[in-house]
């Protein structure tokens, strides 16, 4: 558990959380591993889990079929995420379907958190919920600013 | 401090990306992205720091492989 908490402390998504609050989040984490090339989630799938990258790199792709046929169409590659980044968290905010496909670009280890369980925790502990949602908003802002640079 | 850094290589949308690192990147640093080596050319603040986190962008150029 402490290993998970140490990892969570390194994620801006959990910036400002107390040790006790981090323990509550850590209790919801389960481990997952992916080989390079594995599809982790598909566009239009239901958004039931969000992911925290422990190691490795993933590609967020808007149109996987076109991207695979013509890799030079890098515009299909929305963003590349590495250690300490989260993905799938938009589903936490809007509960909409997946907006992109995510593929492991290298062997990748992640923690997975069930969206329903996490939202229940946010409702139960509203300070935790407020901080995480504010941090997610900042993270999405960071990604938009990054997108504007590439 | 933990540095959330977006690495951008102008003209290359297929490399770079975002990661959290422990050391502030500086111009001249060599970084390994995928299986290629890049040199940091410029570092700018993308957003003001919040708590223990700094939000930076590092513009990089590719270094020829030997």
């Amino acid at each position: 558990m402490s290993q998970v908490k140490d990892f969570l402390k390194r994620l801006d998504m959990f910036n400002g959380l107390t040790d006790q609050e981090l323990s509550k989040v850590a209790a919801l984490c389960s481990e997952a591993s992916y080989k390079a090339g594995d599809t982790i989630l598909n566009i239009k799938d239901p958004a039931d889990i969000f992911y925290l990258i422990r190691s490795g790199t993933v590609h967020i792709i808007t149109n996987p079929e076109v991207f695979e046929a013509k890799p030079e169409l890098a515009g299909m590659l929305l963003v590349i995420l590495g250690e300490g980044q989260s993905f799938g968290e938009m589903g936490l905010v809007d509960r909409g379907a997946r907006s992109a496909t995510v593929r492991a670009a290298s062997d990748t280890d992640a923690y997975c958190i069930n969206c329903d369980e996490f939202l229940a925790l946010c409702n139960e502990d509203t300070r935790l919920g407020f901080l995480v949602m504010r941090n997610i908003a900042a993270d999405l802002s960071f990604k938009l600013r990054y997108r504007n640079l590439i | 401090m933990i540095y959330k850094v977006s690495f951008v290589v102008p003209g290359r949308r297929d490399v770079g990306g975002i990661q959290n690192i422990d050391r502030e990147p500086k111009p001249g640093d060599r970084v390994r992205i995928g299986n290629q080596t890049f040199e940091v050319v410029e570092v700018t603040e993308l957003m003001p720091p919040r708590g223990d986190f700094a939000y930076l962008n590092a513009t990089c150029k590719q270094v020829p492989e030997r």
Side-chain angles (χ1 to χ4, degrees), chain A residues 5-134:
Chain A
K5 271 168 56 179
D6 287 344
F7 169 75
L8 296 178
K9 284 178 189 170
R10 293 181 47 77
L11 273 61
D12 45 312
M13 178 186 270
F14 304 111
N15 185 12
L17 266 59
T18 64
D19 209 53
Q20 191 179 12
E21 289 166 338
L22 286 169
S23 294
K24 294 179 183 177
V25 177
L28 300 180
C29 291
S30 58
E31 295 182 14
S33 295
Y34 305 91
K35 293 288 182 195
D38 282 357
T39 296
I40 301 173
L41 58 88
N42 281 301
I43 191 167
K44 295 181 182 173
D45 279 355
D48 49 356
I49 293 171
F50 69 97
Y51 300 81
L52 312 169
I53 303 172
R54 297 163 57 203
S55 65
T57 308
V58 303
H59 285 168
I60 315 288
I61 309 160
T62 51
N63 193 331
E65 294 79 17
V66 175
F67 181 66
E68 275 171 10
K70 296 183 178 180
E72 68 274 17
L73 294 176
M76 301 294 172
L77 180 58
L78 264 186
V79 64
I80 303 167
L81 298 177
E83 183 183 339
Q85 307 314 304
S86 58
F87 60 91
E89 75 278 22
M90 277 172 61
L92 253 186
V93 178
D94 60 20
R95 302 317 309 262
R98 300 296 191 198
S99 60
T101 289
V102 180
R103 294 251 166 85
S106 64
D107 290 353
T108 298
D109 293 321
Y111 284 120
C112 309
I113 300 182
N114 180 282
C115 289
D116 288 335
E117 291 178 8
F118 191 76
L119 286 173
L121 173 61
C122 292
N123 286 326
E124 175 192 302
D125 185 335
T126 52
R127 191 194 104 91
L128 181 155
F130 167 75
L131 287 173
V132 171
M133 290 300 167
R134 190 182 67 180

Side-chain angles (χ1 to χ4, degrees), chain B residues 18-30:
Chain B
I18 303 170
Q19 48 186 295
N20 288 10
I21 57 178
D22 292 316
R23 186 174 160 275
E24 183 178 3
K26 302 280 188 192
D29 284 354
R30 296 282 175 107

Side-chain angles (χ1 to χ4, degrees), chain B:
Chain B
M1 190 68 98
I2 293 170
Y3 300 90
K4 186 181 182 85
V5 184
S6 61
F7 292 96
V8 171
V9 182
R12 296 283 307 275
R13 298 180 75 151
D14 57 324
V15 294
I18 303 170
Q19 48 186 295
N20 288 10
I21 57 178
D22 292 316
R23 186 174 160 275
E24 183 178 3
K26 302 280 188 192
D29 284 354
R30 296 282 175 107
V31 292
R32 194 81 182 155
I33 304 172
N35 55 5
Q36 298 173 68
T37 304
F38 297 87
E39 181 180 320
V40 175
V41 177
E42 183 184 31
V43 179
T44 55
E45 187 180 84
L46 215 50
M47 290 168 23
R50 298 175 60 242
D52 294 329
F53 293 86
Y55 300 85
L56 306 176
N57 176 71
T59 304
C60 304
K61 67 177 182 184
Q62 188 164 3
V63 176
E65 299 287 339
R66 289 181 182 175

